[in-house]
Amino acid sequence: MLVACCQNYLGRLGRALDAELRPVEEDVFREQGLPVFFLASGGIAGTFRDVCRCVEGPYILLTTSGWNSLPASMEILAYLHEQGMQGEILHGEPEEVAPRLELLLRLAKARRALRRMRLGVIGETLSLAASRADGLQLQQRFGAQLEMLEVQALIDEYRRGGCPENAFTRELRQSGYDPAELEKALNVYGAVRRMVEAHRLDAVTVRCFDLLGAIGTTGCLALAILNAEGIPAGCEGDTRSLLSMAVLHVLTGEPVFMANPSRLDRQRSEMVFAHCTLPMNMPRGYRLTTHFESGIGVALAADFDAGPVTVFKCDETGRFQVQDGELVESLHLPDLCRTQLRIRLPEGVEGFLTNPIANHQMICKGHWAELIRAFFA
């Protein structure tokens, strides 16, 4: 009877999660990222104590309403706390438990992805005062590694010429924009793409202003394509923004816009964010133009539909700021970077003036603040 009850519980929970749940061998269990212990009955606290250290916590204790499952989980959780370890009891009907377990699985998947990430830095920022992440702290807190590369390596790679042919490059070549300028910008994309592949990078930032004098173009378009391909790519050699882009992307799966907070309105609780690069697959539409500060290169001036967005930033210590907001409209003002978004932030804008995490902010579509807060909890 116990076996039948357990099978019924796991079957219902699996249907609620749209996943197959089954016991696995220790080596598979160790690899799955989130240790979920199904406590089918009482009398197993001693056994748990003997086997739990085969994986790192936090330990998720899945219980049923019978067979002394709940009291066993309470005994185990008390033991974990005594040992300075973290755990959580999941108890209730499978359909009640499923949303919490789904969230925990998502967070574990994101943490695991970050631990394996190599974040490429093609020239760390020299001009930004508070945007350089401490690589050791970053690795200790998130597990990701910074891979430091020279801008000259990118310039040398650019001079070799060429870029991959794909849907994004074909779309750009059909835009009617100046072919010579477009080809230079696409060659930057090709150069960065080859460096990403050669160094096995999962995300990248480029100290892009170095390119202006060296090769007479910018990295705006290259980063726009890479972000659309699912490779978080930031500019200005800003490593704290690179980390923030990686975190937001692995949590949400959404493309991320790295932007300057350019204007704010306290009364309306609104801000205007602007930059010259963003993922090509993020806006409703765009036109090609030049980079704002230099007047050269190829940048995107985009238009978005109104709707929910998230504004986020973190640093390597785990400090973060996040708000769910509403994108009100796209702007095209002459004195700001090319893509401009007016966003309403109901929780207020004062924190950007009193306690900012440097300059750049990360924006993606949808409301994800609750998920992000859970990630950093």
Side-chain angles (χ1 to χ4, degrees), residues 268-273 304-311 323-330 341-349 363-368:
R268 292 185 172 185
S269 195
E270 291 181 351
M271 293 188 69
V272 173
F273 296 89
F304 284 73
D305 292 321
V309 293
T310 300
V311 179
Q323 276 203 56
D324 287 335
E326 296 299 322
L327 172 56
V328 178
E329 63 175 340
S330 301
L341 306 181
R342 182 162 68 91
I343 294 175
R344 184 170 297 122
L345 295 165
E347 295 177 32
V349 299
I363 301 168
C364 74
K365 291 182 178 179
H367 283 165
W368 302 99

Side-chain angles (χ1 to χ4, degrees), residues 345-361:
L345 295 165
E347 295 177 32
V349 299
E350 198 65 28
F352 292 95
L353 296 178
T354 59
N355 194 28
I357 301 180
N359 163 25
H360 298 117
Q361 302 294 310

Side-chain angles (χ1 to χ4, degrees), residues 230-279:
I231 302 169
C235 50
E236 300 182 50
D238 180 345
T239 45
R240 283 185 171 155
S241 287
L242 178 62
L243 169 64
S244 302
M245 294 182 84
V247 169
L248 191 56
H249 179 67
V250 298
L251 277 171
T252 68
E254 294 287 331
V256 180
F257 178 31
M258 170 184 167
N260 294 319
S262 301
R263 296 180 181 176
L264 63 79
D265 184 328
R266 289 187 182 87
Q267 299 303 314
R268 292 185 172 185
S269 195
E270 291 181 351
M271 293 188 69
V272 173
F273 296 89
H275 230 173
C276 289
T277 182
L278 80 161

Side-chain angles (χ1 to χ4, degrees), residues 2-17:
L2 172 60
V3 172
C5 289
C6 291
Q7 289 174 336
N8 177 61
Y9 184 92
L10 291 177
R12 287 172 59 193
L13 182 57
R15 287 190 291 275
L17 292 168

Side-chain angles (χ1 to χ4, degrees), residues 21-64:
L21 302 182
R22 57 185 176 83
V24 294
E25 297 297 326
E26 184 178 312
D27 57 340
V28 178
F29 181 69
R30 198 182 294 117
E31 288 294 317
Q32 72 178 7
L34 181 70
V36 180
F37 290 84
F38 182 43
L39 309 179
S41 68
I44 59 173
T47 303
F48 176 90
R49 181 191 58 212
D50 294 338
V51 304
C52 68
R53 293 183 186 273
C54 72
V55 292
E56 294 182 0
Y59 300 90
I60 309 306
L61 310 176
L62 182 60
T63 67
T64 70

